[in-house]
Amino acid sequence: RKLDRKLRAVRIWGKVSTIMVGATVAVVFICSVVAAAVAAPHIAGALAAATALPSGGMGKWLNSLWSGYEKELNAQMAVLHGMHVGTFVAIKDLD
């Protein structure tokens, strides 16, 4: 049950972190558009270029982090399931 709760929490936090990264990218993009409207265009171009680079890499890195943790939890669950089946068979053999 603990592993089920952890797996559910990992999936939820993965979605939350993806939404947060997306919202952050959107806010920075909106700020760059506002800066383009108010200030010189070369400042907006530099700001847009600076936000384009880390946003894609950050999302991929977070997804790989969460999926790796999810795979570890699934492996632990598989080991526990195998132990449960083995114990069940051993008990039935003793009967």
Side-chain angles (χ1 to χ4, degrees), residues 23-81:
T24 303
V25 169
V27 166
V28 171
F29 180 72
I30 290 170
C31 288
S32 69
V33 169
V34 170
V38 174
H42 64 277
I43 294 173
L47 189 60
T51 58
L53 293 176
S55 64
M58 180 72 88
K60 288 179 184 178
W61 177 72
L62 281 173
N63 285 338
S64 69
L65 202 82
W66 288 116
S67 65
Y69 189 57
E70 188 175 347
K71 285 179 186 177
E72 288 180 24
L73 287 175
N74 282 329
Q76 288 179 8
M77 287 178 66
V79 168
L80 287 176
H81 180 69

